[in-house]
Amino acid sequence: MAGQSQVLEMIAQGAILPAVLASIAQLVESQGQDLYCSFALVDEDGQRLHLGAAPSFPERYWEEIGSISVAPATGPCGAAVYWKASIIADDIRTDFRWPHLREVALNYGLRACWSTPILSMEGQPLATFAIYHPYPRRPTQHHGYLISQATHLARVAIEKHRAEVKAQRAAQALEDANNVLELRVAERTRELSALVGRLHQEINERKQAEAALRQSEATNRALIAAIPDMLIRTRNDGTYLNILGRDRFTVHNNEQFLENTNVYDSLPPQLAQARMQHIHNALETGEVQRYEQRFNTNGQVQDEEVRVVVSGEDEVLIIVRDITNLKQVENALYQSEVRNRALINALPDLMIRMSRDGVYLDFIPAKSFRHILGGLDVIGKKVFDVLPPALAQQRMEYVEKALQTGETQVYEHQFLVAGELQAEETRIAVCGEDEVLVIVRDISDRKRVEEKERQKALALEQALRELQLTQTQLIQTEKMSSLGQLVAGVAHEINNPVNFIYGNIVYMNDYVDNLLKLVSYYQQSYPQPAPLVANYLKDIDFGFLQEDLPKTLTSMKVGADRIRQIVLSLRNFSRLEESAMKPVDIHEGLDSTLLILQHRFRPQFTLTGIQLVKEYAELPKVECLAGQINQVFMNILVNALDALDEAYERSVDQPAIHPGEVRIRTEVSRDGWVAIRIADNGPGMSEEIRSHIFDPFYTTKPVGKGTGLGLSISYQIIVEKHKGTLHCVSIPEQGTEFIIEIPICATAS
């Protein structure tokens, strides 16, 4: 269909989808008379259709039509998507699928509609392509060809458009996720700054409280009661009535720590008994009960300060403060203001303070992700004792680099934690003369998003590659069609005069025999001819003429017969009239191709020529596209002959011990399949070259001698069109063999 290249160029250049669809519709309309084309796109939920392009329709027509439901009786377009099959309404007036839209179509002079669904590579409806006609009629074979080409081009454009839309959405989602992450980072930084401020404040208040304790016991109670972390209102039997602030730190038994549960449900027996004893003491004395408790949570030691204050006749208010970090800060916070400042400026998920020689000085575990160290007690141990050797060596190299340059070092690494791949970003900042602060952040989610985006980019690249292959195939098909027409035309023009010559040679041979017999009878009747006749017989050497003339006529007959065979082979090779699958004699196609290439087997570059060995098995007729199968035979045989000629040219100073040979073997390879093996004893090829021979435009031939399309087109013909296989086996300096396998019955495959 003329204009396809222009449409493909629009798709490749990123034209908007309505413009591409409008161009396809106008292209189809230009190929016939009174044709009106439209595209209707399927919504993402697959329930309705809306206008994609209809360049020749009035705008009011589609305003009256509106969106179309996907159902069996909502017009041919809705039915085509519903059934995933072409719907032919040869007369809209009588077609049952137009209960609501019939009058609208008739008012605009439309009487026939042929709607074809456009399916994705996975078989899902993308759109419909409809051709309308002002008179009742059915589509012709030409219309079918136009519909096939239009839907193919539209499918490429729509899938490319959908892929671009998905990529844009994914990019926007990634950008939104990054913005959210930045906000969370800023919020976490503010929380950390506030936490450090509160720690300073609590330390100062505790010192003031200890100093004031000697002055006033009442002031001390008020100060302690005013600094709660978690508040639990509890009855005298240990039942929890209200729980406030539980989300600010880790609870020993989180699943059992709920309202209306008991102290014994959420704490170990020993701690629960102590808690109840302090509750009773507070109720009996009316005084605030204060004590500290320690327990292990997920393998980590946690310290808490507990205050019990009477809040009713049979109720107490339990104030629990997590003092684990406070105790750690009491031991480490005052050692270095530089370390404290590094802790404030960094966003730690996992924080480790290390010495220059790799000893863990402080370790603050991550709460947001699992780490390779788990719950190990690493304080005082070296990095090589707790990390795998490769990770430990990498960590120490960056530690040394940070200490030498004074700059923060950032690197990424991956490892398995509980059988799951985890990615981490590690920052190493100097926080002392021979100490560094190591901050580890979990970036597994970001890596997964990046991998998904990379996969989507690869999918888009694959779609573009398929589009380029389609364009290449269209160009090659046009070229082979022109060549086939030329060959068929030449064969037809030669066939008539050759038949005339061939048919008259028989009569000519009879006439010459009769004339020679007549002369013989004259010689018998007049053994002594007149001098004039005798001299003429001598001049023309009648004896030689009488002997050679029948031989000459026989040679002419052999030559004419040879020309007839060549013409028949040319017609068999072109197969212009066979554009559909039909049973074909594979051997006939091979012989036709070999007859065309017979001059390549004769002595040219080599002294002995190229030997042809045919090992034909008894094959049934194979259902295939004969012209395209012959094209595959031609491409493979030409490559084999080129390889043998090239090998002879390279070894002209040292003639080959074995002459060039092409071997063709056919067989029934398995149930319902035939195999054609074409082998040569040429120079073969390396594995690197063999892995690329079916790639488009890949060639090892000199510039101007090969296009790199022959084997690529052959692979598409065998694999995609005939659902067969095409393999190449090659050993350097030993030869190459191509193995073609196709099903005998195309419908069975």
Side-chain angles (χ1 to χ4, degrees), residues 241-272:
L241 300 176
N242 294 106
I243 303 173
L244 301 175
R246 57 175 291 179
D247 56 340
R248 288 197 285 266
F249 60 92
T250 303
V251 178
H252 179 266
N253 193 340
N254 192 56
E255 295 180 356
Q256 300 295 330
F257 189 53
L258 302 169
E259 294 180 357
N260 296 322
T261 61
N262 197 276
V263 170
Y264 291 98
D265 297 328
S266 60
L267 293 176
Q270 184 176 359
L271 295 182

Side-chain angles (χ1 to χ4, degrees), residues 468-718:
Q468 293 173 341
L469 287 176
T470 302
Q471 187 175 12
T472 301
Q473 187 173 4
L474 289 174
I475 296 172
Q476 185 70 4
T477 301
E478 288 288 336
K479 184 190 300 182
M480 291 307 299
S481 176
S482 300
L483 177 60
Q485 292 175 358
L486 175 63
V487 170
V490 171
H492 177 74
E493 294 299 324
I494 295 176
N495 190 50
N496 289 334
V498 168
N499 285 337
F500 174 80
I501 295 172
Y502 184 84
N504 285 310
I505 285 178
V506 177
Y507 299 108
M508 186 68 178
N509 192 49
D510 293 338
Y511 298 156
V512 170
D513 287 341
N514 293 336
L515 290 175
L516 291 176
K517 286 181 180 179
L518 178 60
V519 172
S520 176
Y521 292 150
Y522 268 102
Q523 287 177 335
Q524 294 176 12
S525 301
Y526 302 98
Q528 297 298 327
L532 180 62
V533 175
N535 290 334
Y536 187 75
L537 290 173
K538 185 177 180 182
D539 291 338
I540 66 174
D541 195 1
F542 180 74
F544 174 79
L545 185 148
Q546 187 177 20
E547 179 183 354
D548 190 65
L549 183 57
K551 297 180 180 179
T552 301
L553 290 174
T554 301
S555 298
M556 292 173 65
K557 182 176 182 299
V558 172
D561 185 68
R562 183 62 174 167
I563 294 174
R564 289 184 66 207
Q565 293 179 5
I566 293 174
V567 170
L568 180 60
S569 296
L570 290 174
R571 293 180 62 186
N572 288 338
F573 179 78
S574 63
R575 299 272 189 177
L576 281 179
E577 73 282 6
E578 300 179 7
S579 60
M581 293 278 188
K582 58 175 60 179
V584 172
D585 186 347
I586 292 295
H587 294 155
E588 182 179 297
L590 283 167
D591 291 337
S592 299
T593 307
L594 290 170
L595 186 60
I596 295 173
L597 296 174
Q598 62 179 340
H599 66 284
R600 296 289 302 273
F601 289 85
R602 296 171 184 161
Q604 297 181 66
F605 300 105
T606 65
L607 298 177
T608 60
I610 298 174
Q611 183 179 0
L612 174 63
V613 179
K614 297 194 293 186
E615 299 176 352
Y616 289 175
E618 185 174 350
L619 299 181
K621 287 192 175 183
V622 178
E623 189 176 357
C624 63
L625 300 171
Q628 296 192 16
I629 290 294
N630 289 345
Q631 179 184 349
V632 174
F633 296 158
M634 175 69 75
N635 291 337
I636 295 177
L637 285 169
V638 167
N639 281 344
L641 294 171
D642 288 345
L644 292 171
D645 291 343
E646 180 184 354
Y648 183 81
E649 291 176 357
R650 290 205 307 261
S651 61
V652 66
D653 297 332
Q654 300 177 357
I657 299 176
H658 302 290
E661 178 183 281
V662 173
R663 183 179 299 272
I664 304 176
R665 180 157 60 99
T666 62
E667 61 184 357
V668 177
S669 59
R670 44 190 164 124
D671 188 18
W673 289 68
V674 297
I676 303 98
R677 298 173 177 265
I678 302 175
D680 64 75
N681 61 347
M685 65 186 83
S686 66
E687 179 61 24
E688 173 65 18
I689 295 176
R690 191 200 65 78
S691 64
H692 293 287
I693 59 174
F694 297 118
D695 294 345
F697 305 108
Y698 181 81
T699 180
T700 58
K701 297 179 181 179
V703 177
K705 192 172 182 180
T707 63
L709 292 175
L711 290 179
S712 174
I713 295 298
S714 299
Y715 187 86
Q716 293 182 40
I717 291 173
I718 297 300

Side-chain angles (χ1 to χ4, degrees), residues 6 8 43 172 178 203 272 274 313 316 435 452 458 479 506-507 517 525 595 648 724:
Q6 181 180 358
L8 290 172
D43 290 341
Q172 184 61 43
N178 287 335
I203 292 171
E313 184 176 355
V316 296
E435 295 179 4
K452 288 181 180 178
L458 291 176
K479 184 190 300 182
V506 177
Y507 299 108
K517 286 181 180 179
S525 301
L595 186 60
Y648 183 81

